[in-house]
Amino acid sequence: MGWSGSRLRSYLNKQEMIRGWTAVARICLLASMPLGLTGCSSFGPPSVDRDRFDYINAIASSWKQQTLLNIVKMRYADTPVFLDVGQIISGYQLQGAVTFGGSLSSRSVYGDIFNLGSTGSFIDKPTITYTPLTGAHFIQVMITPIPPPALLMRVEEGWPIDVLLQIGVQSINGLSNCKGGARSYVADPDFVRLLAALQRLQVSGAIDLRVEVSTQTKEQGTVLVISQKDLPPEVQDDRVLVRKLLGLRSDLHEFKIVFGAVSGKDDEIAIQTRSGFQILNQLASNVEVPAEHIAELRTYPPIPESRVALSMPPLIRIHAEKSQPADAFAAVQYRDYWYWIDDRDFRSKGIFTFLMIIMTLAETGEKVQAPVVTIQGN
């Protein structure tokens, strides 16, 4: 039986429509091929630029929160816990698919039906390993006092000597620094005068530090050199004051630095450095705490303002409030309060950042490896 003209035209139109949809499906399939070819498509180079800085920012933010939390916990006699990021392995998976289908029926009430679709998924599954600070390494970093040469050589790198000594030293030739904790006390007035005089001598270039290595024990030693050059009258007064406060001979200009509370010799300077635990405990004394926590004996009260005024300014200011702060350099939630450092407090930010360097100065043994970041590029 032959086809009528109208039936033949309908058939030809359907064939043309099939060819059109087939062409569209081919275009979609070609466009989606990069999604499906996970084994052949590589996006490694762009991921390096993106992920390196993303992980740097994440690790830095995590370190700040962990350090701030441990300082706050010390204020409440809670146990500090440190976790180091040991390794990061970031793996990607990219998948895609295209579907095309249809039906031709002149008898269906719905007419001809065509379906075209595509799906895709991107999966990022990083594997992160954490290393707790425990055992001998914990004792070495937290309990071991910072070696005086390691601390004082930071002066040669340009760090302010008064800030270094205020953070890392408990006493110099019997002159006591302030002490934090429940049995805290302020610094000796002569210790405050000594730090101020040393800071002025450092600015004028009148003091220097030299490291000497013993030929027998191979141990490092530090020598403080007080310059004999002509100086302005006020700087000369500081030079005389330093010798007087430390009980040093006026005719010498080089003095050996030893570890200890008191030397007993007029040609040596005994420095009793702090450990990482002592430094955290000292900074914890500057944490603001709610009045109800003090009344409930959850923590100790702060030093009275009248006594603090006679000593040095606080190293750091850590605020406490119920709501999350809007402009914080670092913030952490503990005991239903937010503890934070103001991003506009430049001194507190500098001390907080320098704390990481101070803590690593106690590591005199095996070097701890930095976190390893492995990013799969395809």
Side-chain angles (χ1 to χ4, degrees):
M1 180 183 294
W3 286 7
S4 64
S6 60
R7 185 177 182 186
L8 178 60
R9 284 193 299 273
S10 176
Y11 173 79
L12 294 176
N13 289 337
K14 290 180 178 179
Q15 294 297 317
E16 185 66 25
M17 186 180 297
I18 292 173
R19 286 194 294 269
W21 279 106
T22 303
V24 173
R26 288 175 178 173
I27 294 174
C28 293
L29 180 61
L30 291 173
S32 64
M33 283 181 66
L35 293 175
L37 298 179
T38 58
C40 300
S41 176
S42 174
F43 45 89
S47 67
V48 173
D49 291 339
R50 179 185 65 251
D51 293 341
R52 171 182 289 185
F53 295 103
D54 287 347
Y55 279 114
I56 286 175
N57 292 333
I59 292 174
S61 177
S62 175
W63 174 83
K64 289 194 297 185
Q65 293 178 7
Q66 175 180 248
T67 304
L68 179 58
L69 177 60
N70 282 322
I71 293 175
V72 175
K73 290 173 69 175
M74 292 283 290
R75 188 67 163 80
Y76 288 85
D78 202 348
T79 304
V81 178
F82 290 89
L83 283 177
D84 290 334
V85 178
Q87 189 178 44
I88 301 174
I89 302 176
S90 183
Y92 301 113
Q93 187 176 4
L94 194 61
Q95 296 177 336
V98 174
T99 60
F100 172 72
S103 62
L104 301 174
S105 177
S106 59
R107 299 179 180 178
S108 174
V109 294
Y110 298 103
D112 302 328
I113 300 175
F114 294 92
N115 298 316
L116 177 65
S118 63
T119 60
S121 63
F122 174 77
I123 303 173
D124 182 10
K125 298 186 296 184
T127 301
I128 304 174
T129 60
Y130 298 96
T131 305
L133 186 64
T134 58
H137 190 204
F138 179 85
I139 294 176
Q140 186 180 45
V141 175
M142 295 297 298
I143 308 301
T144 304
I146 301 171
L151 178 66
L152 294 176
M153 286 313 298
R154 306 286 80 80
V155 177
E156 291 298 287
E157 298 173 359
W159 292 96
I161 189 171
D162 57 328
V163 176
L164 278 172
L165 298 181
Q166 185 181 356
I167 296 175
V169 169
Q170 188 56 49
S171 68
I172 304 177
N173 265 13
L175 303 179
S176 296
N177 192 2
C178 57
K179 182 180 180 181
R183 299 182 179 181
S184 58
Y185 54 77
V186 298
D188 291 342
D190 284 344
F191 185 88
V192 180
R193 297 172 61 198
L194 174 65
L195 263 57
L198 288 173
Q199 190 272 336
R200 292 189 292 266
L201 289 175
Q202 181 189 21
V203 172
S204 63
I207 59 172
D208 192 14
L209 290 165
R210 185 177 72 248
V211 175
E212 296 181 346
V213 181
S214 173
T215 57
Q216 297 178 348
T217 63
K218 303 299 180 181
E219 294 182 354
Q220 289 185 344
T222 308
V223 176
L224 175 67
V225 181
I226 301 179
S227 175
Q228 297 296 103
K229 65 180 182 180
D230 293 335
L231 298 170
E234 63 275 11
V235 181
Q236 293 184 20
D237 293 341
D238 287 328
R239 188 165 54 186
V240 173
L241 178 62
V242 168
R243 285 191 172 96
K244 178 181 179 182
L245 292 175
L246 296 179
L248 303 176
R249 287 174 54 178
S250 59
D251 59 330
L252 296 180
H253 65 278
E254 292 190 1
F255 304 93
K256 183 179 179 181
I257 296 177
V258 297
F259 179 82
V262 180
S263 170
K265 299 180 180 180
D266 57 7
D267 60 347
E268 287 184 350
I269 301 175
I271 295 182
Q272 188 176 25
T273 54
R274 287 171 170 168
S275 64
F277 188 88
Q278 290 175 302
I279 294 174
L280 288 178
N281 198 36
Q282 180 62 45
L283 295 179
S285 300
N286 302 129
V287 176
E288 295 179 2
V289 291
E292 61 267 25
H293 290 180
I294 298 175
E296 296 168 354
L297 302 181
R298 300 183 186 277
T299 184
Y300 54 87
I303 300 177
E305 290 292 336
S306 58
R307 294 175 58 194
V308 174
L310 301 176
S311 186
M312 297 171 290
L315 285 169
I316 194 171
R317 296 184 184 275
I318 300 175
H319 308 280
E321 58 184 54
K322 275 287 187 179
S323 58
Q324 184 175 2
D327 191 11
F329 171 71
V332 67
Q333 194 173 21
Y334 181 77
R335 293 177 180 263
D336 297 329
Y337 275 83
W338 281 94
Y339 295 86
W340 58 287
I341 298 174
D342 195 334
D343 192 50
R344 295 161 294 189
D345 187 350
F346 188 80
R347 174 180 171 86
S348 295
K349 292 196 302 182
I351 296 297
F352 187 81
T353 302
F354 187 60
L355 176 63
M356 181 177 181
I357 301 175
I358 289 290
M359 297 285 285
T360 57
L361 294 180
E363 298 185 17
T364 57
E366 183 181 356
K367 184 178 180 180
V368 179
Q369 294 183 351
V372 178
V373 181
T374 304
I375 302 174
Q376 296 182 358
N378 52 26

